[in-house]
């Protein structure tokens, strides 16, 4: 400046808090995990501006529908950050995305991810992406690209959030959902691996209220509280697609639909895949609450209705099938490690069922779907 000998201060991108070199190192650390997910359809390598996927096989379809889904993992990331364990949260992300796609019977083809963080720590970012890659392998889905963004001043150095999107495909006349569900169908539950990735705002509030630390050993869990809360979301995609392959032959449909139990709980999500005029009766006594859910309920004195509309309570995915194949469906799902059982049936809507109050759910999430009536008490 005029009249002074002071040198002007140089402001750099690194000085503003963004370390480009750290981002480059993170990419190098994650390359191998990403490549391991690549199916024959992936075109090119890692690091391009856009991920490419060869869909020339779609010419063999009569009328292909693309299915897409996007999601995050909510405040479960706060648990990962507090424990400084980051290699499981990626599987949560994949499960939240691809299992929404398989609900309609579509096969997820490829996925992309987005990570925003206050400071890029290459090893931490690589751990997150390795978890995403592991989830993609379990789902048979290629991880074709992603983005890591450094947001200094917006996020603390050890904070991050993750999001992802996937695309799948299904032949139009093979689409599953409300249009195929009918009275008499059987409702089959599949066990969750734990809390999955919904309801952590409630869970975190409860454990803070109880003053429980994440390193607390909990006998009912057989591990620490933190280890239990970080159990990754079970991925149902492959088992569900195999079930469709086994029981649907193109003209005859044994599997009519699926419901991914996420935010809103079992009843709200099952109602979304039922047509108007029908009602699923689900008997709680067909399963018992896993220890993590009963513990949260007791620690926070959480009302049952609040639990049921917030957490999965041990049911991560539901299949709605023709009664003629119900036994075979349970057998196949159990062979795939999904822990399946018959939990109810579909019936004509009973107008008097609404008298059950909070046990009755209709038109959940603004969808003009069917209804669900929860009956009985959870098994001990």
């Amino acid at each position: 400046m005029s009249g002074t000998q002071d040198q002007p201060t140089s402001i750099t991108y690194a000085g503003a808090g963004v370390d480009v070199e750290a981002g480059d190192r993170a990419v190098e650390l994650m390359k191998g995990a990403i490549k391991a997910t690549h199916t024959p359809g992936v075109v090119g390598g890692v690091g391009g501006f856009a991920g490419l996927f060869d869909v020339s096989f779609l010419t063999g379809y009569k009328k292909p529908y693309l299915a897409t889904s996007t999601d995050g993992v909510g405040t479960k990331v706060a648990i990962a950050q507090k424990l400084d364990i980051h290699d499981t949260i990626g599987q949560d992300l994949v499960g939240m995305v691809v299992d929404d796609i398989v609900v309609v019977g579509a096969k997820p083809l490829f996925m992309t991810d987005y990570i925003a963080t206050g400071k890029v720590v290459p090893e931490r970012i690589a751990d997150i992406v390795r978890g995403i890659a592991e989830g993609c392998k379990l789902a048979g889905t290629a991880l074709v690209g992603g983005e890591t963004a450094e947001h200094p001043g917006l996020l603390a150095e050890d904070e991050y959030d993750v999001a992802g999107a996937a695309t799948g495909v299904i032949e139009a006349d093979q689409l599953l959902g409300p249009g195929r569900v009918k009275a008499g169908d059987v409702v089959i539950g599949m066990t969750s691996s734990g809390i999955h990735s919904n309801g952590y705002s409630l869970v975190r509030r409860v454990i803070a209220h109880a003053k429980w630390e994440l390193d607390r050993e909990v006998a009912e869990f057989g591990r620490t509280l933190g280890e239990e809360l970080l159990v990754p979301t079970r991925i149902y995609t492959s088992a569900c697609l195999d079930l469709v392959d086994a029981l649907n032959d193109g003209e005859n449909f044994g599997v009519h639909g699926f419901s991914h139990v996420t935010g809103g709980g079992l009843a709200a999500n099952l109602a979304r895949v039922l047509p108007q005029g029908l009602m699923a009766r689900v008997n709680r006594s067909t399963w018992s609450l896993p220890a993590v859910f009963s513990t949260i309920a007791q620690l926070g004195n959480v009302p049952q209705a609040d639990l049921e509309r917030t957490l999965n309570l041990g049911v991560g995915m539901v299949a709605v099938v023709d009664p003629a194949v119900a036994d075979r469906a349970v057998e196949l799902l159990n062979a795939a490690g999904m822990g399946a059982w018959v939990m109810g049936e579909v019936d004509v809507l009973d107008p008097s069922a609404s008298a059950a109050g909070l046990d009755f759910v209709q038109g959940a999430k603004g969808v003009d779907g069917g209804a669900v009536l929860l009956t009985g008490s959870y098994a001990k």
Side-chain angles (χ1 to χ4, degrees):
M1 298 177 63
S2 176
T4 178
Q5 298 300 312
D6 294 340
Q7 293 294 320
T9 300
S10 295
I11 299 177
T12 65
Y13 206 15
V18 177
D19 188 343
V20 176
E21 291 183 358
D24 291 341
R25 290 197 299 275
V27 171
E28 287 301 315
L29 289 173
M30 67 179 75
K31 271 185 176 180
I34 295 172
K35 287 181 179 178
T37 74
H38 285 184
T39 59
V42 176
V43 178
V46 179
F49 282 94
L52 298 175
F53 196 87
D54 181 357
V55 293
S56 57
F57 70 92
L58 294 182
T59 58
Y61 280 62
K62 294 177 292 183
K63 187 178 181 181
Y65 280 175
L66 294 180
T68 185
S69 177
T70 186
D71 211 336
V73 299
T75 62
K76 188 171 184 176
V77 295
I79 305 294
Q81 290 160 18
K82 192 166 183 179
L83 290 173
D84 196 26
I85 297 174
H86 313 285
D87 59 355
T88 61
I89 206 77
Q91 181 173 325
D92 290 292
L93 178 62
V94 176
M96 295 301 290
V97 174
V98 298
D99 283 336
D100 275 1
I101 288 177
V102 80
V103 161
V104 297
K107 175 178 174 54
L109 299 174
F110 54 84
M111 182 168 177
T112 57
D113 64 72
Y114 176 78
I115 304 169
T117 184
K119 178 180 177 60
V120 170
V121 177
E123 294 76 15
R124 182 169 63 204
I125 298 300
D127 278 350
I128 297 170
V129 175
R130 275 195 286 268
I132 297 173
E134 178 60 28
C136 283
K137 286 172 64 178
L138 290 171
T141 304
L143 181 59
V144 298
E147 176 70 15
T148 300
E150 206 164 25
H151 291 171
L154 182 63
L155 296 170
E157 288 191 355
D158 60 349
E159 290 181 338
Y160 62 82
D161 198 10
V162 296
T167 299
V169 64
I170 185 170
E171 189 73 78
D173 62 8
Q174 301 304 301
L175 194 69
L176 305 181
R180 299 204 182 277
V181 176
K182 62 184 186 299
D185 279 355
V186 174
V187 179
I188 296 172
M190 299 176 226
T191 56
S192 66
S193 55
I195 298 175
H196 285 184
S197 302
N198 290 103
Y200 275 82
S201 294
L202 171 64
V203 171
R204 289 167 52 242
R205 180 68 177 270
V206 167
I207 62 176
H209 171 77
K211 296 182 171 56
W212 279 26
E213 298 297 331
L214 294 177
D215 62 358
R216 181 189 183 109
E217 292 284 346
V218 183
E220 293 86 350
F221 303 163
R223 52 189 159 200
T224 66
L225 173 63
E227 289 169 336
E228 178 68 31
L229 297 183
L230 271 193
V231 172
T233 301
R234 173 165 288 163
I235 295 177
Y236 302 90
T237 295
S238 294
C240 290
L241 291 174
D242 288 345
L243 188 70
V244 170
D245 286 343
L247 301 180
N248 295 8
D249 64 9
E251 295 182 359
N252 300 302
F253 289 79
V255 181
H256 295 160
F258 296 104
S259 175
H260 188 198
V261 183
T262 55
L266 171 62
N269 284 288
L270 181 53
R272 298 168 70 187
V273 299
L274 304 175
Q276 287 185 317
L278 294 186
M279 174 178 73
R281 298 178 185 271
V282 174
N283 190 342
R284 297 184 184 96
S285 70
T286 59
W287 80 99
S288 56
L289 292 185
V292 66
F293 300 107
S294 55
T295 299
I296 293 299
Q298 293 165 10
L299 284 179
N301 194 28
V302 183
Q304 180 170 304
D306 210 58
L307 284 173
E308 291 184 338
R309 62 176 171 238
T310 307
L311 304 172
N312 68 62
L313 300 187
V315 185
M317 181 70 83
V318 174
V320 183
V321 306
D322 188 286
V325 302
D327 290 344
R328 179 61 175 156
V330 170
E331 179 184 348
L332 290 169
L333 290 170
N334 281 328
M338 295 297 105
W341 75 99
V342 172
M343 64 191 315
E345 66 286 323
V346 178
D347 201 351
V348 175
L349 178 63
D350 178 0
S352 67
S354 59
L358 293 175
D359 292 336
F360 179 79
V361 175
Q362 185 173 24
K365 293 191 174 182
V367 177
D368 293 328
V372 174
L373 177 65
L374 297 172
T375 65
S377 300
Y378 295 106
K380 298 299 184 182

